[in-house]
Amino acid sequence: MARTKQAKPVERQPSSEYVTRQTATPSKRNEDVAIRSNGVAGKAVSAPVKKEAGVAQLVVAVAGIYGSFLTWAYLQEKLTTTPHGPPGATEVFKYPVFLNTIQSLFAAATGALYLYFSTPRGQAIPPIIPSRRILPPLLLVALTSSLASPFGYASLAHIDYITFLLAKSCKLLPVMLLHITVFQRRYPLYKYLVVAAVTAGVAVFTLHSGKTSSKKSSQTGNSVYGLLLLGVNLLFDGLTNSTQDYIFGAFQPYTGPQMMCANNLMSTAVTAAYLILSPWLVRTGAGQWLGMDVVSGGELEAALGFMGRHPGVWADVLGFAACGAVGQVFIFYTLSTFSSVLLVTVTVTRKMFTMILSVVAFGHRLSRMQVLGVGLVFGGIGVEAAIARQEKMAKEAAKRKAAEKKGQ
């Protein structure tokens, strides 16, 4: 299979789902210099205008994102909620680090192939770690992404999957919190209203879970604890996204395939080290503090034992890892072929379809108040995406006009 020629390297553009930091007027520093991947400052080069893509490419991009991530979400819920074993002695898969290690290993291999085939002919394949300066932020991304998932999976023991999906549907909240508290930044009023709508929607959905009154009182504490765990997960997600945006801005022209390969390789190293050391950690004070099972002998041994007892789970684990890896490729393909505007739209609609799939496939029943909560969440996200789309299109139109004036 020959490498295809690509007019422009794949670059990740921060979508408004995370944070909008671009201004209408670039700073003087950005006009004068651009930091290259080897850390040397050079003259800034204007980015080439992105060519219009055809309908076929649009269908491939959208179908790829929908197909991979809807299947990924289905397998995620199936893995974490399906009981295995004889009646009275059932057990559920609860080994997030083991699952993440397999997924990041798949994604690293897929990212390496994507980097190879996306490199134009006649050019050297760019290194995934072009300079020492990029190592600390890359390591931070690997650590935060590796730490986020265990908290998310742990929250599923206390909240249902629909609540999990709702809270994960807007990553704007943790990113805004980080930038307001750490970087002292301010946002337009509509973003605060979006966060308020999403927060209210998740709260309404959780408080009206459809349980009887006696069950509600007994499960309130569990729901609060589950939301706390999910909040930690979202904070790690926000830090991951903010750091990735920093890397793409400070180490240009660092591309999506380079990030995909490097991040997943480092994440694999981090999670694999944990799995190898877990038999030792489980017998120390640190293991007890982390809540590790002393009897299991560590997560790796426990996960392999579970897979040995229920070998059919391997198909779901490998399918989950493959769908996550392929989905990342389609995301970077969409960004390189179209723009972040389309990706935001596809992401929002994909999350709605994921929730519909979960309700249909796993028999969830929603009360009227829960439907209201869902409406608040996706209404807020939809408004934010629509405003972001208008802003992005206005900026692109202004750039085209500026380019036409320079050409005259």
Side-chain angles (χ1 to χ4, degrees):
M1 185 174 178
R3 287 185 282 171
T4 57
K5 194 161 188 176
Q6 184 167 307
K8 183 176 181 289
V10 183
E11 297 179 7
R12 178 181 181 274
Q13 301 176 14
S15 72
S16 61
E17 180 187 5
Y18 302 139
V19 59
T20 304
R21 294 198 308 269
Q22 294 87 347
T23 56
T25 306
S27 63
K28 189 178 189 320
R29 179 179 181 274
N30 291 334
E31 289 175 346
D32 293 341
V33 298
I35 306 300
R36 294 176 181 169
S37 59
N38 59 4
V40 180
K43 293 278 186 181
V45 180
S46 59
V49 178
K50 190 173 292 184
K51 295 181 179 180
E52 292 293 330
V55 176
Q57 289 174 293
L58 175 63
V59 171
V60 168
V62 175
I65 292 176
Y66 279 173
S68 56
F69 280 111
L70 286 176
T71 308
W72 180 87
Y74 169 79
L75 292 174
Q76 182 185 50
E77 184 169 4
K78 182 181 177 184
L79 275 169
T80 55
T81 60
T82 303
H84 300 274
T90 58
E91 54 182 342
V92 177
F93 185 89
K94 51 180 180 180
Y95 311 105
V97 179
F98 175 80
L99 185 62
N100 282 352
T101 303
I102 295 178
Q103 178 178 254
S104 58
L105 188 60
F106 265 68
T110 306
L113 291 173
Y114 185 33
L115 178 61
Y116 176 80
F117 288 110
S118 63
T119 303
R121 289 181 181 179
Q123 293 187 13
I125 298 175
I128 60 173
I129 302 177
S131 67
R132 292 183 179 179
R133 291 177 54 248
I134 202 174
L135 271 174
L138 278 178
L139 181 59
L140 179 60
V141 169
L143 288 172
T144 53
S145 60
S146 299
L147 289 171
S149 291
F151 283 97
Y153 285 115
S155 70
L156 287 172
H158 308 281
I159 58 177
D160 59 35
Y161 194 75
I162 299 293
T163 306
F164 177 85
L165 285 177
L166 277 178
K168 293 280 286 184
S169 292
C170 185
K171 294 182 179 180
L172 181 66
L173 192 154
V175 175
M176 283 182 63
L177 179 63
L178 284 172
H179 281 267
I180 290 172
T181 56
V182 178
F183 301 106
Q184 301 296 313
R185 292 184 178 174
R186 295 293 179 265
Y187 291 88
L189 176 61
Y190 78 88
K191 286 189 180 287
Y192 294 101
L193 296 177
V194 167
V195 169
V198 171
T199 304
V202 173
V204 168
F205 188 94
T206 306
L207 292 173
H208 296 82
S209 59
K211 304 286 193 306
T212 60
S213 300
S214 59
K215 290 183 178 179
K216 279 184 179 180
S217 59
S218 63
Q219 294 190 5
T220 300
N222 279 344
S223 297
V224 171
Y225 183 62
L227 290 175
L228 177 62
L229 291 173
L230 190 53
V232 176
N233 167 270
L234 290 174
L235 283 174
F236 278 128
D237 277 349
L239 185 56
T240 298
N241 294 325
S242 298
T243 308
Q244 285 177 328
D245 288 344
Y246 164 75
I247 291 172
F248 282 112
F251 297 94
Q252 296 176 4
Y254 200 67
T255 64
Q258 288 172 284
M259 167 67 79
M260 181 178 175
C261 189
N263 179 40
N264 284 290
L265 270 179
M266 297 179 77
S267 296
T268 302
V270 170
T271 54
Y274 169 81
L275 291 175
I276 294 171
L277 294 174
S278 60
W280 173 77
L281 286 173
V282 78
R283 295 176 176 84
T284 65
Q288 295 177 358
W289 184 78
L290 291 171
M292 299 171 68
D293 187 1
V294 178
V295 179
S296 67
E299 182 168 331
L300 179 60
E301 182 180 337
L304 292 177
F306 182 93
M307 307 296 279
R309 294 188 298 274
H310 313 288
V313 179
W314 273 113
D316 293 336
V317 169
L318 296 178
F320 174 85
C323 288
V326 172
Q328 290 183 45
V329 172
F330 277 110
I331 282 179
F332 288 124
Y333 172 77
T334 302
L335 283 173
S336 65
T337 309
F338 300 94
S339 69
S340 60
V341 176
L342 175 67
L343 183 62
V344 171
T345 305
V346 173
T347 299
V348 172
T349 54
R350 187 261 299 176
K351 288 172 180 175
M352 289 190 290
F353 285 130
T354 299
M355 181 167 292
I356 294 172
L357 176 64
S358 177
V359 171
V360 173
F362 295 95
H364 297 295
R365 293 184 179 181
L366 304 182
S367 65
R368 291 182 180 178
M369 292 302 294
Q370 285 183 305
V371 172
L372 174 62
V374 172
L376 284 171
V377 171
F378 286 108
I381 296 173
V383 168
E384 199 271 338
I387 295 175
R389 180 183 178 86
Q390 291 177 354
E391 291 178 348
K392 183 71 176 179
M393 292 178 68
K395 289 178 181 179
E396 290 178 351
K399 286 180 181 179
R400 285 195 297 269
K401 288 182 180 179
E404 289 174 358
K405 288 182 179 179
K406 286 183 180 180
Q408 291 176 355

